[in-house]
Amino acid sequence: MPSINLFSLEGKKIAFSGATGVLGTTMALHLASQGAELLILGRSPEKVDQLVNEINASGGKAFGYFADVTDEDSLEKVAKVIESHHGHIDVLINSAGGNMPGAVIRPDQNFLDLDTASLRKVMDLNYLGTVLPIKAFLPLMLKQGKGNILNVSSMAASRPMTRVMGYAAAKAAIDNLTKWLSVELAQKHGPDFRVNAIAPGFFLTEQNRTLLTEADGSLTQRGNQIKTHTPMNRFGKPEDLLGALQWLCSDASAFVTGTIVAVDGGFSAYSGV
């Protein structure tokens, strides 16, 4: 029998929101290096163009499209353009997300200090910013009778963290959506539709750097607490996500759906004693 590479991504058309962030960029570059065709979706033309140019300059294949993941009309317009250019997509990665200061409860604050407007924006970005792209791009999967959706969750979803109330609630909603949608699509559209999520542990990004490190690069009290509670005793590196990413985007995970894969150095397994 001929050898089959179950983990191959060669020729797969992957639409990717949130690809211009620290983690997303590493993920996108890896997928392109594995032969995938990247359709980079973002609201900043400058950032999207920069990533697309980097991928193409390194021998990969990428195209840039501009839309706000919280704007349903713009997503539907982009989906039509992508359909006219590419016909269908094989994988949709929903990595857009983030937090806002007003949805964080600092040690010197309490719940009554929560800014409702900021909370709403965090929920819109993280939750609707996943729901709406799925709604817009699912028809490009339905037309070929198969599709693979990969959401990005967080350790904050299953282990609610102090301070990040809004972000944790939004990511908990992503976990629920991932499981619910996996059943919905498989039962109504067949076994070739899958929905999973990656739940990163603690990675240093531009969004959390000031929470975890001091100006001189040393760890804050919170940074030390997190590192101590991670059995591998370190923060994650963007490259640590690539194995799970490749597995979930490839046919090697063909019978995997409704699963949230923790990439956290053991954080979720450790009780602290």
Side-chain angles (χ1 to χ4, degrees), residues 4-248:
I4 298 174
N5 182 1
L6 288 175
F7 294 89
S8 174
L9 300 178
E10 189 70 37
K12 286 190 181 293
K13 299 179 181 183
I14 301 179
F16 195 156
S17 74
T20 58
V22 172
L23 302 183
T25 294
T26 298
M27 293 162 69
L29 290 171
H30 172 75
L31 294 171
S33 76
Q34 298 299 301
E37 183 176 315
L38 272 292
L39 314 179
I40 305 297
L41 181 69
R43 62 182 180 182
S44 169
E46 181 180 352
K47 291 182 179 179
V48 170
D49 287 343
Q50 181 178 349
L51 179 57
V52 168
N53 290 338
E54 184 177 356
I55 289 172
N56 290 332
S58 63
K61 194 173 184 180
F63 303 85
Y65 297 94
F66 313 117
D68 184 335
V69 293
T70 65
D71 183 339
E72 189 167 6
D73 288 340
S74 71
L75 287 167
E76 289 179 351
K77 290 177 182 177
V78 165
K80 290 178 181 178
V81 173
I82 288 177
E83 183 176 18
S84 68
H85 290 173
H86 305 279
H88 70 276
I89 62 172
D90 299 298
V91 183
L92 171 62
I93 300 176
N94 295 299
S95 183
N99 205 357
M100 294 190 68
V104 173
I105 308 299
R106 300 191 308 268
D108 60 337
Q109 294 178 313
N110 61 47
F111 178 72
L112 298 178
D113 294 307
L114 175 70
D115 180 64
T116 306
S118 294
L119 175 63
R120 185 174 285 113
K121 289 179 181 178
V122 169
M123 293 300 294
D124 281 352
L125 175 58
N126 291 278
Y127 183 65
L128 284 180
T130 295
V131 171
L132 296 181
I134 293 173
K135 189 169 182 283
F137 289 101
L138 180 59
L140 277 67
M141 296 178 174
L142 292 174
K143 67 181 296 184
Q144 64 168 356
K146 60 180 180 179
N148 184 2
I149 297 170
L150 181 60
N151 299 325
V152 176
S153 181
S154 166
M155 276 298 99
S158 58
R159 302 288 293 272
M161 311 296 171
T162 58
R163 304 191 191 186
V164 291
M165 176 210 161
Y167 181 78
K171 289 303 188 181
I174 293 298
D175 282 8
N176 186 276
L177 171 69
T178 298
K179 294 177 181 180
W180 181 88
L181 194 60
S182 70
V183 176
E184 171 77 4
L185 295 186
Q187 290 187 336
K188 294 183 179 178
H189 300 291
D192 291 326
F193 286 88
R194 303 190 288 118
V195 188
N196 294 290
I198 289 178
F202 290 89
F203 292 69
L204 281 177
T205 66
E206 295 309 312
Q207 292 184 5
N208 66 17
R209 192 173 300 276
T210 56
L211 279 174
L212 302 180
T213 61
E214 303 285 4
D216 63 2
S218 62
L219 295 180
T220 62
Q221 180 183 3
R222 185 177 181 83
N224 273 308
Q225 287 178 323
I226 289 168
K227 187 177 178 183
T228 299
H229 198 92
T230 301
M232 288 189 176
N233 197 38
R234 67 173 176 87
F235 294 120
K237 298 175 291 187
E239 294 77 13
D240 291 327
L241 295 171
L242 301 182
L245 173 71
Q246 177 122 7
W247 174 56
L248 290 171

